[in-house]
Amino acid sequence: MHQRNIALALLLALPAAFVSAQPVKNYTQADTLRGSITPERSWWDVQRYDLFVQPDYPGKSTRGINTISYRVLAKAATGKMQIDLKDPLTIDSVFDKNNRPLLFGKNETVWYIQTPAQTVGTSQSVRIHFSGKPHEAIRAPWDGGWTFTKDSLNRPWMTVTCQGLGASIWYPCKDHQSDEPDKGASLTMRVPDTLMAVGNGKLVQTTKHGDGTASYRWEVVNPINNYNIIPYIGKYVHFTETYNGEKGKLPLSYWVLDYNEAKAKNYLPLETHNMLRSFEHWFGPYPFYEDGYKLIDVPHTGMEHQSAVAYGNWYQPGYRKRDGSGTGWGLKWDFIVVHESGHEWFGNNITSNDLADMWVHEGFTNYSETLFVDYMYGVQAGNEYNAGIRRGIRNDRTVIPVYGVNAQGSGDMYPKCGNMLHAIRHSMNNDELFRGILRGLSRDFYHKTVNSSDIERYISAKSGFDYGKVFDQYLRNTKIPVLEFRLANGQVTYRYTNCIKGFNLPIVLQKGTTLVKLPVTDEWQTTAISTEQQTLITGAGIKSMYYIEPIETK
């Protein structure tokens, strides 16, 4: 994944996901085919993926099979099924559920399978055989593809990263976030029997083939994003434990390279327990108890692969020894454990239908860092951390870009949206209400795909305040609102400028029993205040909690 025009020092201080924004461009037919619900996609609904892959490490090639089970929603208007598989991989053959071969061909960047007439409401399947030398990631996880590398003992180590770029970079699928396999997925990997293959969910079958290879079948029973289905292959060992969480006993496992076992046992459980305790407090139960939770060693920094979180943070606090906030708070906990696990709630449990709404994944997960700091170290620490990450905001372009073309918005979807949510929280001045909204999101959109508008309306409805203009300001505009205010004669006069018309983020300030509520809009207003209240209205105090520019005028 890519980002432009970031100073190197800042780039190195930020997580991998910060650099996922695509440059502004003219969109092509290929972008539309990838990012929209075409007629060849709309008539069928994915129910399950059963994926097999056998990588050839020396040849850096793969071969595999994906059996796609689906439900027929409507008559196929064109008689075709769109399947996504990126060059240089190719589809070799396709069979229906009765093992009859189906005709197929490639057009532009997608493949089309000729399907026979199928009755609406029935369950069907296709078995797709594929092979080739897949695209390799150049700098995973910032870009996508297979990684064929070696560990420090010169042994094969393989995995995949593909968020944004799409799962079709390594296997054939319906590569659109809106259609997750409702009945889960399996991933079987056939590898040299000197290596271990790890996948999402639970290991359900191991087969020794007697030819120097072994197969490992992993399975999730919950819906899963197609870009989260990931193979991990290397000299792994593992240890396990049980976490007593909100929904009962959650199995935890840690799959690490053999030479990392001792340090992992000493380090990872505490970081994981702190994360789970914090996030179950704020967001509700971990969303995938049935599939368990895993951390897995990877050669890159990390990714949020559902129930199989990729971990490459060197077993040290911070983000590879750095603190994106510059405050010091980010050096007290493991960034990858916290951030990538936060995606289990936002990104994996709740998934955006369109990549344009990626802020739902990244903004809430960015804010999970602040909530973690708040839970572990207190409200003031959370405020400081949240304000510190603003140094990553560029306001180069909008957070939400064009829909229907697989476009990602600005990398501001991380720190800017984390600051937006923090401002909304402070404007409510009711942490139990705010926490209830977060937990309600996880509950009411449990294992669902959503649009940004769904989340926006939900927060407004549950809070009792219309935050529509606030979302418009931060998601669909690049200006930083300016709060002009002046204090005189026991009054404060105030308004917003440099903002969209109707911007109305309330400002609430409190210290002890002293409270100030300012219903700020883009029109001048005046509120009478006491001497004690006046002490709260300072530019620094406002800016510490709200992503606005306060200017005191005379």
Side-chain angles (χ1 to χ4, degrees), residues 14-303:
L14 299 178
F18 263 111
V19 292
S20 63
Q22 296 174 346
V24 176
K25 67 175 186 178
N26 295 318
Y27 297 103
T28 65
Q29 182 185 15
D31 296 319
T32 301
L33 289 171
R34 169 78 167 83
S36 64
I37 301 299
T38 63
E40 291 75 24
R41 278 174 164 173
S42 63
W43 63 268
W44 58 288
D45 176 55
V46 177
Q47 297 294 293
R48 184 177 175 84
Y49 290 129
D50 287 292
L51 179 59
F52 165 85
V53 67
Q54 183 172 8
D56 174 22
Y57 179 83
K60 295 186 176 182
S61 64
T62 62
R63 66 180 184 89
I65 304 168
N66 191 17
T67 300
I68 304 176
S69 302
Y70 62 94
R71 184 170 178 269
V72 180
L73 302 178
K75 180 181 177 181
T78 66
K80 296 177 183 178
M81 167 185 281
Q82 178 181 328
I83 294 294
D84 304 284
L85 182 66
K86 289 186 171 65
D87 292 335
L89 291 173
T90 62
I91 292 178
D92 301 319
S93 57
V94 182
F95 301 88
D96 69 9
K97 69 176 184 178
N98 297 312
N99 206 34
R100 293 175 299 203
L102 299 176
L103 296 175
F104 62 94
K106 187 179 181 185
N107 185 9
E108 294 287 338
T109 57
V110 302
W111 297 76
Y112 292 109
I113 299 172
Q114 295 284 350
T115 55
Q118 299 172 9
T119 303
V120 174
T122 61
S123 296
Q124 306 289 339
S125 67
V126 291
R127 189 176 77 251
I128 305 171
H129 295 246
F130 65 99
S131 65
K133 292 176 71 74
H135 175 79
E136 287 188 63
I138 299 170
R139 189 168 176 253
W142 289 274
D143 65 338
W146 272 89
T147 294
F148 297 95
T149 189
K150 293 181 178 180
D151 65 21
S152 64
L153 297 182
N154 208 37
R155 303 169 301 185
W157 197 9
M158 295 170 273
T159 190
V160 172
T161 48
C162 59
Q163 185 186 15
L165 183 60
S168 57
I169 198 68
W170 79 277
Y171 72 93
C173 60
K174 187 178 187 178
D175 206 355
H176 196 272
Q177 288 185 181
S178 65
D179 196 357
E180 299 181 342
D182 303 284
K183 297 180 181 179
S186 70
L187 172 58
T188 302
M189 296 155 280
R190 186 167 179 172
V191 301
D193 58 15
T194 56
L195 303 176
M196 179 66 202
V198 185
N200 309 81
K202 296 181 178 179
L203 180 63
V204 296
Q205 186 177 12
T206 300
T207 304
K208 301 293 185 180
H209 296 290
D211 62 353
T213 67
S215 293
Y216 301 91
R217 179 183 172 93
W218 293 78
E219 183 172 353
V220 294
V221 299
N222 290 297
I224 185 170
N225 305 336
N226 56 23
Y227 69 80
N228 273 334
I229 302 172
I230 294 295
Y232 302 88
I233 301 163
K235 292 291 289 187
Y236 287 113
V237 297
H238 79 288
F239 58 98
T240 63
E241 59 173 336
T242 300
Y243 179 81
N244 294 316
E246 282 198 21
K247 284 181 68 174
K249 295 187 181 300
L250 172 63
L252 308 180
S253 59
Y254 308 89
W255 289 83
V256 300
L257 295 180
D258 49 11
Y259 53 73
N260 286 334
E261 184 176 11
K263 70 173 76 171
K265 284 182 174 178
N266 185 58
Y267 178 80
L268 288 178
L270 178 59
E271 297 293 323
T272 302
H273 295 178
N274 287 342
M275 174 276 297
L276 286 167
R277 190 166 68 251
S278 169
F279 287 171
E280 288 207 327
H281 168 81
W282 285 110
F283 301 143
Y286 173 73
F288 308 105
Y289 268 70
E290 302 85 355
D291 295 321
Y293 172 89
K294 289 192 293 300
L295 286 170
I296 307 168
D297 264 348
V298 291
H300 56 81
T301 53
M303 284 294 289

Side-chain angles (χ1 to χ4, degrees), residues 365-384:
T365 302
N366 174 277
Y367 193 53
S368 76
E369 302 160 24
T370 293
L371 293 173
F372 177 85
V373 172
D374 183 300
Y375 183 86
M376 295 295 297
Y377 307 108
V379 173
Q380 183 58 32
N383 286 341
E384 291 173 6

Side-chain angles (χ1 to χ4, degrees), residues 392-469:
I393 301 175
R394 295 168 295 148
N395 285 308
D396 57 338
R397 52 200 175 89
T398 60
V399 166
I400 296 180
V402 179
Y403 287 97
V405 290
N406 203 56
Q408 299 177 37
S410 170
D412 288 351
M413 70 179 77
Y414 296 81
K416 185 176 181 179
C417 292
N419 270 267
M420 174 187 72
L421 293 170
H422 198 55
I424 288 173
R425 170 189 174 188
H426 280 300
S427 75
M428 292 180 187
N429 198 42
N430 184 335
D431 266 6
E432 281 309 300
L433 172 62
F434 183 73
R435 176 172 168 245
I437 291 172
L438 294 177
R439 292 173 67 92
L441 286 167
S442 297
R443 179 190 65 245
D444 295 342
F445 295 106
Y446 182 72
H447 293 177
K448 292 182 180 178
T449 61
V450 301
N451 299 319
S452 177
S453 57
D454 297 322
I455 302 301
E456 296 172 43
R457 286 194 297 264
Y458 187 93
I459 292 174
S460 290
K462 296 299 182 181
S463 67
F465 180 84
D466 185 358
Y467 283 99
K469 294 295 184 179

